[in-house]
Structures are given as C-alpha cells and as structure tokens.
Amino acid sequence: MSEAVSRRSAMRLLAAAGGVGAALGTGACAPTVPPGAGPRPTAPAAGAPAGPAAGPAGSRAARIEGLLERLTLDEKTALLHGARDPAPLGQAGYVPGVPRLGIPALRLADGPAGVHVAKPATALPAPVLLASAFDPALAREYGRVLGREGRALGQDVLLAPMANLIRTPYAGRNFETFAEDPRLTADLVAEVVRGVQDEGLIATVKHFALNNQEHGRDTVDVIAAEQTLHETELRGFEAAVAAGAGAVMGAYNRVNGVHACENKPLLDELLRGSWGFDGWVMSDWSATHSTVAAIGAGLDMELPGGTHFGGPLREAVRGGSVTEAAVDLAVHRILTTMDRFGLLAARPAARPARNPAAGARIARKVATAGAVLLRNEAGTLPLTGAAARSIAVIGPTAQVPFVGGGGSAHVVPDGAAAPLTAIRQRAGNGSTVHHALGEDLYGRPLPASLLTPAAGLDDQRVAAGREWTHAGEFRLAADDEWTLIVHYTGQRPVVRLDGEELFPVRQGMAEHFAGGLLGSAPDGMAVRRRTLALKAGPHRLTVTARGGDAGQRFRLRHTTGAIRAADLAEAVRTAKSARSVVLFAYEDATEGRDRTSLALPGGQERLIEAVAAANPRTTVVLNTSSATTMPWLARTGAVLQMYYPGQEGAGATADVLFGDVDPGGRLTQTFPADERATPVGGDPLRYPGVGGRQEYTEGVHVGHRWYDAQRVAPLFPFGHGLSYTTWHYEKLTVRPERGGVRAEFTVRNTGRRKGTEVAQVYVGPSPELQLDQPVRALAGYRRLTLAPGEAQRVTVDVDARTLSSWDPERHAWVLGSGRREVFAGRSSRELPLKSKVVVGSR
C-alpha cells in the first residue's frame, strides 16, 4: 500500500469504512497486474523532455525531499489547489508554482477530443469514433496528437482520457468515452495514455469512478458490488495506471456512500495500494467536499480553487487535525510526477511547434477508420455510376459542419469544411449536387412589419455602455408552435414574451455547457432557443440588450409551423429530383446534461420518413453521440454512423460514401430496438436513481452482456458494422497457451473489393466458478485489411485475466477453469465459429 499498511491494518481501515470497503474489496491484499503490463516506469515517459528526471531514482528522490524541506507550509498548500492564472490561455485550470525554488506553474487543459484552450487546435473525432476502429495502435497515434498539441499550446497536464463505461445510452458524455465493454475500453484508454505521455504531457484518467451519467452527478450515491466494480468500471482505470498515467481525477458522485474525492478505500487502498499508482489525484472541478477527510483519503489537489485545500488546510495543520506529513505526502506525489516529466529541470526542454497538417491527417485517418455502416440495402452505398452523379444532400449539418460535442470536449478547430462542400468536390464536374435545409436550426428573421411598433431585430448593435430596448406586440391569426432563437456576442439579451423571460441564465454547468452544435451560430455568435405553443391573438414582446464594456451584436429569430412545413416540402422535392440522397441527421450532446430520449430531436424523424418515401436510395448519416432509436430504419437505403467526426469529418464522410475507403468501424455500444429494452430501461433505481441513490444491480452484465443474459434482440449489436465486401470465417482451433487460451481461425475476403474487417473473439462462462458470469465476454479482436479473395490466419490470445472472475470472498481474481466455449465472428450476435477448450486450474 502507499504507506506500507499491513494486511491487518488494511482490513481495519476497510471495516471502518463499512459498506465502501466491502464493495471495493481488499485488493491490496491480493495485488494483481494486468497481463502484459510491466512495472510502473521510474524514468520519464518516452518522449518526455530530458532533464534531471533522467537521473538515478535515488538522486531524484533526494531532490524532491530537498524541495520539501525548503517549502513553507503556505507554499506547500499553494501547490495543492488551483488559482487564477495571471496569463490565462483559456485552459481549465492553473496551479501556481514556487519560483524561488524553481517549481514552475502547472496549466491543465481539457482534451478528450483535442486540446481545449482559447487558441485553435486539432479537433479530433470523438473518442467513441476512435474506439469504433477497434485499433489500439491508432489510439496511440490519437494520444500523440493530443500530447504534442498540449505541449505546443502551453499546457502541462491533459484532463483526458475518460475511462468511464457507456452504461446508459442516455448519458450526456458517452461520446467522450470509448465503449460499453470493459476489455475494449481498457485497451484503448491505455494506448491513449501512452500516446499523450510519449510527447511529454501528463495524462489524467477520469472520472474515478462510476461517473456514468450527468443527471445528478454532483449528488448521486452509486452503489455497486465488489465483483461488479472490478469486472466492469474499474478495468479501464487499472489499465491506465499500468500504462503509467501521471494523474487521476476523482469523480463528482459518491461511491457506496462516500464522495469519490474523499473515498479512502477507492483512492488509497485500491488505486495506490492494489494497483501501485504513484502519480497524484486531483478533484473534478468543485468536487472536493472536505479538508480533513479528503486529504486523509488520498486526494492531493483541489480544483479549480482552494475552498478546502487553501486556508482551511493550513488551519487544519496548525490546529492538529491534519499532520504536515499528510501535506508533504501530497506535495511529494505532485513534485515527483512533475520531475518524471522533466518539469523540474534546470533547463526545461523547449515546447514543440504545432503541426496542424499532421494533426489533420490523423483526424481524417481516425474518422474514416471508425465510420460504422449500420445498414446498406440494394447497394445504396457506395455511391458509384449514375447514383454518384445526381445527389440530393439534405439537413442543416450538411451545410454547418458538426465537429464535436459540447462542454469539456469543445475545441476551437483550425478549420472545418461542410460535408456538402466535400461531397460536391468528390462528385466532381458533370455531377449535380443540390442541397435542401430540411430543418432550420438558427431561425429566420422576424419580419419588421410583424411587430407593432416595427423593429428590426435581425442585426442590432449596442454600443459599449449603452442599452437598447424594444417593447411591442405581434398578433397570430391561428394557434402555432414557435421556436424563438436569440444570437448574441456579449451579455445575453433579456427577451420576454407575454411577461415570461425566455432565456434566463441557468445555474452552474447547465448555463456553461450548451452543446457543440446548437450552442453557437455558424458565425460564432452564442445561441439560445426556446420552443412554445402560442395561441391565436396578440402577444407582448420585450427585448433589452446591454453593450457592456465592449459593445455587442444580437439578433432575434424564429421558426414557425409554416416555416417547418415549407422546409420539409423543399427537402422532399429535392430528394425526388435526384438519383441518390444523403441526409445528415444530428443529436447534440454535452457535458452537464443527459439525453431525455434516444430518438432524433426536433422534426428529424418526420423529415427522414418523408425523404425516404420520396427516394428509397436515401442514406442517413448520423452525427450523434450515442445509441439512437430508428423507427424510420426500414424505409432507408443505408445508415452511416459518424458520431462527432472532428474537423476532418466532411472529407472522411465523403471518403466512405463514395467507397474510397471501406467502412471499417464497428459499434462499441449496443443500439437498442426500444428505449425500454436497455440494461437500465424501466428501472429507475438503475437509472437515473431514486432519492439520490443509484444501484448497479445489472452486476457484471453491462452493455452487450445484458442483452445476451436477458435474450433481448437489439437494433444493432455490439461489434456490428457492415463492409462493402463480404467475409467468410472458417477453421477455428482453440488450445491452452501461456496460462490462457490461443484461438486461431481464417478470415477470407469473398467479395470483389478490398475491405477492412474486425474479427472478434468471445468466451463463455466457466462451469467451475460459482460466480455470476457473462454469457459471452469479449476476449480479443483483430483489425485486418484484405484484398479481394485474400485470406488470413488470425491468432487471438485470450489472457488469464479475461478468463478470470473477481471473487468477493477472496478479494482477488480467480481463474475460470474447466471446459469453456470460444466463439469467433463479426459481432457479439454474428459468431459463426464455435469451439471448446479445457482451461486448467493453476
């Protein structure tokens, strides 16, 4: 353990923590290392800036001890919490250094899909799209882009990757993470960490742990049994620690009754004791709830400020409720990690220059590799011949590129082309490509003649220090549904309709995170919208806008039932006039709120139904965050899942549509056929929780495992994805090998095109373990590209961890011996090959 706690001491600590200790288990008493994971590095991460960190471990330790002896208590505590940056770069956090001792400040930036600062950065595809490639090597490349750009943009710590599982399709941040499957998540998180740190940037794996939803995330108490924790949510974090992650971020929520950021069994007994983590633990922003309990549990740094670890911590030390040794330990962890990355060097390495072209290449590579073709009837895709020369492109996100989600994941891209532009360029001269909006996201101007007195509200400028007002009315001849949309550059204008304020400033994160698409107009103005059912007759409208210190522009726009009907009719006409249709659909997710439905928002379902009825060669391109229900599916010709594809998404989408690349992505989450038929559907205790308490009673059956256990047919299963060619699997052999199992089989491209396949291996339960086990667990996979007619013998080694279950009685992994089934195929529900092997006990 982190402070040489004996087995008896550990048991006493766990008992004192009650149910929390029981849930997490005494992992420190039976330490395990994931197969293939080496010891924690003691030298700098590969590619880290050179400096004193490269010296012997003894001299490095002596240097840190020397710094600790010279630091005052005020200086020590200043290193344990965030502060205001005197020269802000738009990053999330700042920790002042100690200049007199050569300890530099730390800047911390969000960055799951690109470095989130005020300056341009490469906007990479969302991590869920990266994960769809099933390619750990590509995840390493992705991480290296993040690492290099973070260093180039003046950052020291990246607040990524996110290792939480996709547990519910409603979770607002599913696009920021990787998968519902623990094994796949662990593989990819580890490689992103390695890639980030290859470039000398400190990676922060988050949110530890069980932060699988936004709804009530600050207060919810998540109850999960010990076996459930170890076999599902914890696996990605454990892999990140084994990969050498420099920092871990504690979650907002409680875990088994105790806030994650003051949870000693979680932070100290498990993270540091069992897994050997030697970096530092920071809180999520404002997720620290105490001083004495938090630092005693193993929290090292409070962010963004010093509410608990500033003055209150100094007072606690002076008053004796916290020992100065506890403060020293936290400072030691931070300084040791900084030293490991060369940040304490006398001459720190120069920061690299950004390489936008290289970043763009990786962004496009990831977006094409992760594209998932969900449906393709009657050769709708790829677009070739006459179908490629007459195309109707429909939808607002065909014209306004949907780069990424909102919240922490937002990135200012170098630039992003519209899909419509990319399709026109790829279709080439002699082709006809027409666009129809289908749905207006940003509104039409309010006619000045509608208002009494008349007023132009579409481009008003308010000078600095001035106020502009309008008070009047308008009259409707019939009941109608209106959406009013305000665009603004400064302080949000106050708009009241019939006395009600339409766009009040909301509290906390709900105000800050407005979405990656809907929160701003194409010209960058901030946007808020409100939909109301209006009665026939007069309505009073007042608008007040203030210029503030710098002045501002604003506009008030609207859509009505008549506008929506006209847009729909135009889309149908455009679809009828073309040989092929590409319809872009969206769902805008963000940190701070969960989805309220798995259906496409607005009038998109009606739009798809109408357009597909007019032209059955309709391809729907989904720029969505997570699983989507599709009552319109049977009418369509094809469905292409592109998630949030980053700044190069337009070109990548065109590459796939026209068949320049094979769609090689596969689903990392199950798409349900019905919202009520999900692992959390119909059970409010599982999601979103009841009375502030949530229970993971699905146990180890997360994601596709639940669908198998309950024998529920999904809309699209985990691992699903079509290709432009055809594939055949044959000749599966399975034998014990190196403490695990080796599966070998042949994959053949039986079509006429070069294609990419993701071959997947699953393993069934052990008959000799009296523990809950999945019907089938993902055991391994291989991404391969084959020419027409080419065959490849594929080898997948299934390690002992995958064949093991966590025994809550022994608080350890136990091998599932006996006769076990092994499956191979194209998805969790398309497994044509099956064999059996006897796994021996150790």
Side-chain angles (χ1 to χ4, degrees):
M1 304 188 89
S2 57
E3 297 178 73
V5 180
S6 68
R7 176 183 175 89
R8 182 174 298 171
S9 298
M11 292 298 290
R12 187 167 57 248
L13 286 166
L14 289 167
V20 181
L24 292 177
T26 54
C29 308
T32 56
V33 178
R40 290 278 293 111
T42 54
S59 65
R60 291 172 57 197
R63 182 166 57 254
I64 301 303
E65 292 299 329
L67 286 173
L68 277 169
E69 290 175 2
R70 297 169 64 192
L71 285 165
T72 67
L73 177 61
D74 285 357
E75 289 170 334
K76 291 173 185 176
T77 57
L79 292 171
L80 302 187
H81 65 82
R84 184 179 297 275
D85 190 342
L89 303 174
Q91 80 281 359
Y94 172 82
V95 178
V98 183
R100 73 178 185 88
L101 296 179
I103 300 173
L106 288 174
R107 286 187 169 90
L108 307 89
D110 286 312
V115 182
H116 182 168
V117 293
K119 296 180 179 180
T122 300
L124 291 162
V128 70
L129 183 54
L130 164 69
S132 300
F134 279 71
D135 188 345
L138 185 61
R140 184 107 176 219
E141 292 185 67
Y142 186 100
R144 294 197 71 153
V145 172
L146 293 171
R148 181 183 179 92
E149 293 219 331
R151 290 268 300 144
L153 290 166
Q155 304 305 301
D156 308 295
V157 182
L158 188 74
L159 306 175
M162 179 175 171
N164 304 104
L165 294 183
I166 297 176
R167 175 178 178 262
T168 168
Y170 295 100
R173 301 182 78 173
N174 281 349
F175 67 95
E176 288 190 56
T177 189
F178 297 90
E180 67 187 18
D181 186 83
R183 166 63 189 270
L184 180 61
T185 298
D187 291 347
L188 300 176
V189 164
E191 291 307 314
V192 171
V193 166
R194 292 185 177 104
V196 169
Q197 298 190 162
D198 283 347
E199 301 295 326
L201 193 68
I202 300 170
T204 307
V205 63
K206 63 184 187 182
H207 311 84
F208 192 56
L210 300 176
N211 185 177
N212 302 116
Q213 65 188 57
E214 295 301 281
H215 184 91
R217 69 178 184 178
D218 298 321
T219 57
V220 67
D221 184 8
V222 183
I223 308 301
E226 183 178 330
Q227 183 185 2
T228 300
L229 274 165
H230 283 274
E231 292 194 31
T232 60
E233 174 79 354
L234 294 181
R235 191 160 181 189
F237 292 96
E238 184 180 8
V241 169
V248 168
M249 180 189 291
Y252 284 110
N253 50 279
R254 290 179 171 88
V255 175
N256 292 325
V258 180
H259 284 291
C261 288
E262 55 186 54
N263 194 314
K264 188 176 181 68
L266 192 67
L267 301 182
D268 191 57
E269 320 299 343
L270 178 68
L271 179 64
R272 293 196 173 97
S274 179
W275 297 347
F277 175 65
D278 60 4
W280 89 82
V281 178
M282 68 182 74
S283 74
D284 205 337
W285 269 228
S286 302
T288 307
H289 295 274
S290 65
T291 299
V292 177
I295 198 164
L299 183 71
D300 302 308
M301 182 182 288
E302 177 190 9
L303 290 162
T307 303
H308 300 282
F309 277 22
L313 180 56
R314 291 190 294 274
E315 291 304 313
V317 172
R318 290 169 182 144
S321 57
V322 173
T323 65
E324 191 160 355
V327 172
D328 288 348
L329 181 59
V331 174
H332 189 281
R333 290 165 179 153
I334 294 167
L335 293 180
T336 300
T337 306
M338 291 175 68
D339 198 37
R340 172 186 158 200
F341 284 83
L343 298 179
L344 301 183
R347 295 185 179 86
R351 293 184 181 272
R354 277 196 69 223
N355 189 339
R361 285 194 296 272
I362 297 300
R364 185 152 177 171
K365 181 179 179 180
V366 171
T368 53
V372 185
L373 184 60
L374 298 177
R375 173 180 170 87
N376 193 21
E377 297 298 308
T380 300
L381 292 181
L383 299 174
T384 59
R389 293 192 293 272
S390 173
I391 307 171
V393 181
I394 295 172
T397 47
Q399 200 170 41
V400 179
F402 196 168
V403 174
S408 301
H410 175 70
V411 179
V412 179
D414 292 295
L420 176 61
T421 302
I423 289 170
R424 281 178 171 154
Q425 290 175 343
R426 177 58 182 81
N429 296 332
S431 298
T432 302
V433 179
H434 292 302
H435 176 249
L437 191 61
E439 179 186 14
D440 191 339
L441 297 182
Y442 304 106
R444 309 286 216 280
L446 283 160
S449 60
L450 175 72
L451 304 171
T452 304
L457 296 176
D458 194 50
D459 192 8
Q460 279 292 336
R461 296 175 185 269
V462 187
R466 303 298 295 273
E467 181 177 281
W468 185 94
T469 62
H470 166 80
E473 70 173 33
F474 61 89
R475 181 175 293 273
L476 296 184
D479 295 354
D480 200 354
E481 183 181 83
W482 274 39
T483 299
L484 282 163
I485 305 148
V486 64
H487 305 215
Y488 56 99
T489 60
Q491 181 181 338
R492 186 184 310 159
V494 176
V495 181
R496 287 188 169 89
L497 185 65
D498 298 327
E500 179 187 0
E501 185 174 350
L502 298 185
F503 311 109
V505 175
R506 295 178 291 179
Q507 296 298 311
M509 296 298 184
E511 173 60 30
H512 183 62
F513 299 138
L517 173 71
L518 301 178
S520 60
D523 63 358
M525 295 177 79
V527 170
R528 294 294 187 274
R529 52 182 52 75
R530 178 78 176 274
T531 298
L532 308 103
L534 300 184
K535 296 292 185 180
H539 295 274
R540 291 176 293 108
L541 178 71
T542 64
V543 182
T544 302
R546 294 179 175 86
D549 294 335
Q552 77 154 316
R553 293 171 53 218
F554 81 90
R555 52 189 176 237
L556 184 65
R557 292 186 169 181
H558 77 315
T559 59
T560 66
I563 291 171
R564 285 187 285 272
D567 288 343
L568 181 62
E570 181 197 13
V572 169
R573 286 194 302 272
T574 305
K576 285 181 176 178
S577 68
R579 292 293 297 270
S580 299
V581 176
V582 181
L583 191 158
F584 285 82
Y586 71 90
E587 177 264 316
D588 193 15
T590 183
E591 179 180 357
R593 67 170 183 258
D594 281 349
R595 304 161 75 191
T596 57
S597 169
L598 304 189
L600 293 171
Q604 292 184 95
E605 290 192 347
R606 184 169 64 252
L607 175 65
I608 294 171
E609 292 274 5
V611 167
N615 190 329
R617 291 187 62 86
T618 293
T619 296
V620 176
V621 178
L622 292 171
N623 292 134
T624 52
S625 67
S626 192
T628 304
T629 52
M630 304 180 195
W632 39 264
L633 181 66
R635 286 187 177 272
T636 64
V639 179
L640 178 64
Q641 177 64 253
M642 292 298 297
Y643 294 107
Y644 300 156
Q647 68 180 50
E648 302 302 315
T653 301
D655 289 343
V656 177
L657 290 172
F658 287 90
D660 299 332
V661 297
D662 196 43
R666 303 295 182 262
L667 289 182
T668 68
Q669 57 190 305
T670 307
F671 278 37
D674 187 299
E675 292 200 35
R676 295 164 295 183
T678 75
V680 299
D683 187 347
L685 194 56
R686 288 187 183 177
Y687 176 84
V690 177
R693 177 185 173 94
Q694 181 181 55
E695 297 184 5
Y696 282 28
T697 53
E698 70 272 21
V700 301
H701 305 289
V702 66
H704 61 94
R705 300 175 177 184
W706 180 88
Y707 288 87
D708 289 342
Q710 299 298 317
R711 298 182 180 180
V712 172
L715 183 65
F716 297 112
F718 174 89
H720 171 75
L722 303 177
S723 169
Y724 290 149
T725 188
T726 54
W727 301 93
H728 180 68
Y729 284 65
E730 60 187 7
K731 300 176 182 176
L732 172 65
T733 62
V734 186
R735 67 177 185 274
E737 183 86 12
R738 299 177 185 175
V741 167
R742 172 164 290 183
E744 293 182 309
F745 52 96
T746 298
V747 177
R748 187 182 306 276
N749 181 347
T750 55
R752 299 180 179 180
R753 298 174 59 101
K754 180 181 178 181
T756 297
E757 175 68 325
V758 177
Q760 301 161 46
V761 173
Y762 296 79
V763 63
S766 162
E768 297 182 6
L769 282 183
Q770 301 303 308
L771 295 168
D772 198 17
Q773 300 175 72
V775 175
R776 281 180 295 276
L778 179 68
Y781 47 88
R782 289 290 181 274
R783 183 180 175 92
L784 56 152
T785 299
L786 299 179
E790 185 181 1
Q792 182 173 323
R793 192 72 178 163
V794 176
T795 299
V796 173
D797 286 322
V798 182
D799 56 38
R801 168 62 68 84
T802 301
L803 295 169
S804 299
S805 294
W806 183 268
D807 187 338
E809 295 296 324
R810 298 171 61 183
H811 309 298
W813 292 98
V814 292
L815 185 66
S817 56
R819 194 172 185 83
R820 303 187 67 166
E821 289 186 307
V822 177
F823 309 83
R826 306 195 66 240
S827 78
S828 65
R829 289 294 178 94
E830 188 179 346
L831 298 168
L833 304 183
K834 182 172 71 172
S835 186
K836 293 185 178 181
V837 64
V838 175
V839 176
S841 58
R842 289 179 177 176

